[in-house]
Amino acid sequence: MFISLLEVFKLGVGPSSSHTMGPMVAAARFLEALRGGADPIPGSGAPVRLSVTLHGSLAFTGKGHATDRAVVLGLLGYVPETLDPEAADGAVAALRETKELRPAGLPLLRFDPGADIVFDYGPPLPQHPNALTFRAEDARGNARLAMPYFSVGGGFVATEAELAGGGDLGAEKSARGYPYPFGTAGEMLRMGEASGLSVASMKRANELAAGVADIDARTHALADAMEACIDAGLSRTGVLPGGLNVRRRAKDIHDRLRAERGSNRPLPHAGNEWLSVWAMAVNEENAAGGRVVTAPTNGAAGTVPAVLRYLREQCGVEGADRRRDFMLTAAAIGGIIKHNASISGAEVGCQGEVGSASAMAAAGLCAALGGTNAQIENAAEIALEHHLGMTCDPAAGLVQVPCIERNALGAIKAVSAAALALRGDGTHFMPLDNCIEVMRQTGRDMDDRYKETSRAGIAVNLPEC
């Protein structure tokens, strides 16, 4: 199994990797299929009109996650990693006026976002709870091409054939050709012991074998983007969009923490406050539709950056090698979790999002502080174990309550997990692989109302005033 660091960590925009970035990517893929990448339905004429149906979680929380806007942006040719929000706003407004798409290589297509994006609140498609079906029609109303796509978390998208074939969205590759093709934590430990290499070194060797010759530079660029997102969040105030009137808090808390730095009596829990404010800064940016790095998803994008900054500012650990090892190790753990369970809140609840992010951050911190492979695996297991059963029930379908604070607590748990693991020798009761399997089983058994549909839990127990 090989999932690249560049797939685990991706540049994108908020508020959701599965509900925003994924549908944007799916729209682009459908246009490519319509250009000739897929066989048209026999007897159909040239396409003149498009429509899109959102199913399952994409329907129930699509408005709060801006899924309809993401579909429009994808059809207009925008991609998450290079999206210019101001230019995009103008293009979306123009489309709402003209109700016409002019994609390259295709004829003019009628598309009214207000009428041609349908929210299907019935049962989800059986393959996955995050699905959207694109349909192109000819002048007689006959289907020219109709294709469902599945947004499975972290911005990954699959067709029905890809899911049925057991492939993983073009991101997960065969073990063949990679020097350390670990698909489980147990394999990772055994390969590390046999080779004498760290988790980070094995992960880096796999990236180089995959042809990513500039993996160090790209890893540092992603870490820089995480740092930039923290700084952006710490510089802004106001109310987040969506109607819940949630106020940005990170800048105010950060300003007060800085003012207290010279105090003769700092509180002993100040380290937790710094971790929290860094994580919250990222997730406030995400909630506002800003630029973030999936880690491994947008809804969990604050935990890894917060712990990465903690390494430098609170632990005093500098150096490119330490930061690179943090990122490579975190990506290795994220790939194992994704391969054997899920990072999708709609599939397994928030244990798959913030729980995975906390495990990744714990492993990365442990590695950067000199932990052995066994201690790294232990750190990831501790962090994940204490997120098991966590539901995904966002208020009003927005990635705000409880998501922003949940990232802060995920960062705190990650640091605690790494600290506990570093005090031991790596020997522990529950292997990470077993913990990941527990998460998969728990997600399978969890009621769908608690898996990113906003039909239970916090989402339906809101203040009445």
Side-chain angles (χ1 to χ4, degrees), residues 41-88:
I41 295 173
S44 62
V48 299
R49 176 178 176 268
L50 293 184
S51 63
V52 186
T53 301
L54 306 178
H55 309 280
S57 177
L58 294 187
F60 283 107
T61 60
K63 289 289 186 183
H65 287 74
T67 303
D68 46 352
R69 183 175 184 272
V71 168
V72 169
L73 290 173
L75 292 174
L76 287 168
Y78 290 94
V79 293
E81 57 267 28
T82 59
L83 178 68
D84 178 345
E86 291 187 11

Side-chain angles (χ1 to χ4, degrees), residues 256-257 260-274 314:
R256 284 188 283 159
L257 285 171
E260 293 167 5
R261 261 182 168 163
S263 168
N264 290 328
R265 299 189 61 179
L267 293 171
H269 58 262
N272 284 348
E273 292 184 281
W274 283 103
Q314 298 292 312

Side-chain angles (χ1 to χ4, degrees), residues 21-319:
M21 290 171 59
M24 202 182 306
V25 170
R29 289 192 64 179
F30 179 72
L31 290 179
E32 193 58 37
L34 196 58
R35 290 185 185 101
D39 294 331
I41 295 173
S44 62
V48 299
R49 176 178 176 268
L50 293 184
S51 63
V52 186
T53 301
L54 306 178
H55 309 280
S57 177
L58 294 187
F60 283 107
T61 60
K63 289 289 186 183
H65 287 74
T67 303
D68 46 352
R69 183 175 184 272
V71 168
V72 169
L73 290 173
L75 292 174
L76 287 168
Y78 290 94
V79 293
E81 57 267 28
T82 59
L83 178 68
D84 178 345
E86 291 187 11
D89 287 343
V92 170
L95 175 61
R96 293 189 187 281
E97 288 292 324
T98 65
K99 300 177 176 55
E100 292 177 347
L101 290 167
R102 299 177 182 272
L106 288 169
L108 183 148
L109 299 169
R110 297 196 307 274
F111 180 73
D112 178 359
D116 292 329
I117 299 179
V118 178
F119 290 77
D120 173 13
Y121 298 111
L125 298 190
Q127 296 91 338
H128 194 276
N130 285 341
L132 62 168
T133 299
F134 291 83
R135 177 183 170 93
E137 295 180 354
D138 64 17
R140 296 171 296 167
N142 298 320
R144 168 75 174 184
L145 187 66
M147 293 185 68
Y149 291 86
F150 304 90
S151 181
V152 301
F156 296 110
V157 172
T159 63
E160 191 170 18
E162 287 166 346
L163 282 184
D168 200 70
L169 336 168
E172 184 171 329
K173 299 176 178 62
S174 165
R176 189 175 304 163
Y178 295 95
Y180 306 102
F182 51 84
T184 67
E187 291 174 351
M188 178 185 76
L189 292 176
R190 289 191 291 275
M191 290 179 190
E193 184 175 2
S195 66
L197 295 177
S198 67
V199 173
S201 295
M202 291 189 292
K203 180 65 174 166
R204 185 172 180 272
N206 285 341
E207 298 287 347
L208 293 172
V212 190
D214 59 346
I215 186 60
D216 292 349
R218 296 180 74 174
T219 297
H220 287 300
L222 286 164
D224 287 343
M226 290 179 179
E227 295 269 12
C229 188
I230 291 176
D231 293 337
L234 294 178
S235 70
R236 294 179 177 139
T237 60
V239 175
L240 295 172
L244 286 181
N245 296 317
V246 172
R247 181 174 59 87
R248 285 183 183 253
R249 293 178 288 162
K251 182 181 186 303
D252 178 60
I253 297 172
H254 181 253
D255 290 348
R256 284 188 283 159
L257 285 171
R258 289 184 65 188
E260 293 167 5
R261 261 182 168 163
S263 168
N264 290 328
R265 299 189 61 179
L267 293 171
H269 58 262
N272 284 348
E273 292 184 281
W274 283 103
L275 270 170
S276 296
V277 78
W278 294 326
M280 290 170 63
V282 173
N283 284 87
E284 287 176 357
E285 279 296 287
N286 179 64
R291 287 202 136 320
V292 297
V293 178
T294 63
T297 67
N298 282 27
T303 297
V304 169
V307 178
L308 183 62
R309 181 161 291 193
Y310 176 88
L311 174 69
R312 174 167 55 86
E313 294 212 0
Q314 298 292 312
C315 300
V317 175
E318 301 278 358

Side-chain angles (χ1 to χ4, degrees), residues 319-340:
D321 289 350
R322 297 288 190 96
R323 185 164 90 151
R324 181 196 65 195
D325 287 354
F326 178 107
M327 295 285 286
L328 285 165
T329 304
I333 297 301
I336 289 171
I337 294 172
K338 177 172 172 49
H339 174 63
N340 293 291

Side-chain angles (χ1 to χ4, degrees), residues 367-392:
L369 293 178
T372 65
N373 289 350
Q375 289 170 322
I376 289 166
E377 186 263 359
N378 188 195
E381 185 276 325
I382 294 170
L384 183 61
E385 181 179 32
H386 299 289
H387 284 87
L388 291 176
M390 184 174 280
T391 59
C392 182

